[in-house]
Amino acid sequence: MAKDAKPNRAAARAAARLAAVQALYQMDVAGKGVVDALAEFEAYWIGREVEGVEAAPSDIDFFRDILQGVVREQRPVDMKVDAALAAKWPLKRVEAVLRAILRAGAYELMFRRDVPARVAITEYVDVAHGFYGEDEPGLVNAVLDAVAHEVRGEEFSKGR
């Protein structure tokens, strides 16, 4: 691949986020472990043509970090997301794809300080738009914004 044809970092990370959400979903519904999910996605999904659609090249290291990080830090991630959700609607009651999006987004906000909070929120709202209409992306935005303000409040107080 020519140097100019190389995907830009933002696009590669966006593709990695989408793949991580899909892998988390598959792990949740099929009961797969992280090692199996990593192997399957890296071998058959990431950067491959699936059902006639060419997948965008992904930042594999970023994909691995999100997937492994959500699994490793699931308890604190779930606690933050639960606290941001409506009191009578805990994370375990949220639909599986939405749960995967919220977990991945919260992980990034909590543990990937190299990614600006607003970028992470926007990226996961975009992922949600790929699966849902207006209500769910709005929920993703609200929940991740609440998590971000709690764990990275300093990023939101700058410039105000």
Side-chain angles (χ1 to χ4, degrees):
M1 179 183 284
K3 190 173 185 177
D4 332 352
K6 205 172 177 189
N8 71 40
R9 183 175 182 203
R13 282 193 162 191
R17 287 180 179 99
L18 176 60
V21 165
Q22 291 170 320
L24 287 165
Y25 166 80
Q26 187 175 27
M27 289 171 61
D28 195 6
V29 299
K32 287 189 175 196
V34 70
V35 172
D36 289 339
L38 282 168
E40 180 177 333
F41 270 74
E42 289 179 28
Y44 301 110
W45 297 97
I46 294 177
R48 308 264 193 256
E49 185 176 313
V50 179
E51 296 177 7
V53 177
E54 185 70 30
S58 295
D59 179 334
I60 296 294
D61 291 335
F62 195 65
F63 163 76
R64 288 176 184 159
D65 181 68
I66 294 169
L67 192 60
Q68 291 171 322
V70 168
V71 172
R72 181 181 62 248
E73 304 294 346
Q74 186 170 344
R75 184 175 168 83
V77 164
D78 284 2
M79 289 172 66
K80 284 283 184 232
V81 173
D82 263 337
L85 285 166
K88 295 189 182 203
W89 204 266
L91 184 60
K92 66 184 177 187
R93 289 187 63 192
V94 171
E95 187 273 327
V97 173
L98 194 54
R99 188 168 48 241
I101 294 168
L102 293 171
R103 282 177 169 155
Y107 168 77
E108 232 180 286
L109 290 166
M110 294 168 69
F111 298 99
R112 292 296 306 240
R113 297 245 174 208
D114 60 310
V115 178
R118 286 181 175 94
V119 170
I121 293 166
T122 299
E123 289 289 321
Y124 286 102
V125 168
D126 288 348
V127 169
H129 276 292
F131 293 98
Y132 301 104
E134 286 304 310
D135 291 345
E136 292 84 353
L139 175 68
V140 169
N141 186 59
V143 169
L144 295 183
D145 187 65
V147 170
H149 275 80
E150 183 178 337
V151 300
R152 295 213 213 160
E154 71 282 358
E155 286 186 47
F156 295 91
S157 60
K158 293 177 184 174
R160 283 192 179 177

